[in-house]
Amino acid sequence: MVALEQRFPRPSVMGVVNVTPDSFSDGGVNLDPRAAVASARRMLAEGAAIIDVGGESTRPGSASVTADEELRRVVPVLEELEALPVSIDTSKAEVAARALELGAELVNDVTALRGDPALAGVVAEAGAYLCLMHLRGEPRTMQDDPRYDDVVAEVALFLEERLAFAVGQGIPEEAICLDPGIGFGKTVEHNFELLRRLGELTALGRPIMVGISRKSSLGKIMGDRDAKTGSTAASVGAAVLAYERGASIFRVHDVREHVEALTAARAVVAP
Ligand code: HH2
């Protein structure tokens, strides 16, 4: 296997395609498989390195769905995208296994292998890439007054421990990237502190993925306390500075804008 950092050189863009009725920013848009496939192809043409296909929303307050429902949503999309670079956003071994059979190369697990005890074995067996994300609590309740003594230190410790766990389960370290989980059990201040001090996470020695695209913290800092989403411009601004602080992979909804901005940022930082 090629190490993840070679397969996804800094900066790489991951396009988000949520095949769900209720995702916070594109819910419903891609519920029809044909629309999802068209979105994925467009994002690849715009320069995405990979498309993250998800069949379960993890937005604050969301309810979980069964494996059968998740499969019903994502399989028709994965079948159409079989020869293209795809990641599966799931915590369920059954969904990951089917996606990997259909050609997915990365499993994006927001529970960092805590959701389904069978998932690590599926990833190891397939020789797939894996993203381990920090999430405090569970989506239904995670935004109820999250508190940390030192959010960055706690996230770093968690990711280090989950990385060791994954390696212990037979997944090579070179196949793994880490994600601070922007918006998953964190206040606006926590989210920006994690980006400000991203160097403490890159120090763990694995590529860092960042997903701040359109998240509500970006809307809230514009003065709308009840914002549910943030703008594309705000997303791009945060992504560029996360790149400068060492982030490698950017999970985004607006691919063209991020590819252009990150290409310009790279020309400044690493000509
Ligand atoms: N954010 C979301 C979902 N999956 N995976 C990683 N690794 N990092 C993230 O920040 C991340 C993620 C939430 O965003 P979205 O998929 O747009 O919405 P929803 O969960 O409502 O489907």
Side-chain angles (χ1 to χ4, degrees), residues 22-68:
D22 56 345
S23 289
F24 78 95
S25 84
D26 65 344
V29 175
N30 290 314
L31 193 54
D32 173 359
R34 278 165 309 184
V37 169
S39 294
R41 289 188 189 282
R42 175 179 44 78
M43 289 177 182
L44 289 167
E46 290 174 349
I50 191 161
I51 303 300
D52 193 37
V53 177
E56 175 175 31
S57 174
T58 46
R59 76 179 197 292
S62 61
S64 55
V65 300
T66 63
D68 281 350

Side-chain angles (χ1 to χ4, degrees), residues 16 18 22-25 56-59 89 108 110 131 133 179 182 184 209 211 215 251 253:
V16 179
N18 288 310
D22 56 345
S23 289
F24 78 95
S25 84
E56 175 175 31
S57 174
T58 46
R59 76 179 197 292
D89 187 351
N108 175 23
V110 300
C131 180
M133 196 195 79
D179 185 328
I182 300 297
F184 287 87
M209 185 187 296
K215 283 189 177 161
R251 184 182 180 280
H253 303 81

Side-chain angles (χ1 to χ4, degrees), residues 173-186:
E173 187 162 340
E174 314 82 73
I176 300 172
C177 64
L178 307 174
D179 185 328
I182 300 297
F184 287 87
K186 289 146 193 126

Side-chain angles (χ1 to χ4, degrees), residues 66-114:
T66 63
D68 281 350
E69 176 60 17
E70 225 180 296
L71 284 165
R72 201 184 60 73
R73 292 177 184 177
V74 300
V75 165
V77 178
L78 297 172
E79 280 174 348
E80 284 293 316
L81 298 177
E82 210 168 339
L84 298 171
V86 165
S87 145
I88 180 73
D89 187 351
T90 191
S91 305
K92 298 188 183 75
E94 194 182 336
V95 176
R98 186 78 187 104
L100 294 168
E101 269 171 28
L102 289 170
E105 58 181 312
L106 188 153
V107 175
N108 175 23
D109 176 16
V110 300
T111 74
L113 301 180
R114 296 174 301 158

Side-chain angles (χ1 to χ4, degrees), residues 126-191:
Y129 295 117
L130 174 67
C131 180
L132 298 170
M133 196 195 79
H134 177 269
L135 182 164
R136 162 76 73 84
E138 53 173 301
R140 207 168 42 77
T141 54
M142 66 190 176
Q143 291 305 98
D144 300 348
D145 195 23
R147 288 166 195 251
Y148 300 83
D149 284 335
D150 179 339
V151 66
V152 184
E154 287 179 48
V155 168
L157 192 64
F158 172 90
L159 293 175
E160 190 174 24
E161 188 267 316
R162 297 320 291 163
L163 176 63
F165 175 82
V167 170
Q169 297 289 305
I171 302 165
E173 187 162 340
E174 314 82 73
I176 300 172
C177 64
L178 307 174
D179 185 328
I182 300 297
F184 287 87
K186 289 146 193 126
T187 62
V188 173
E189 291 71 27
H190 293 143
N191 290 327

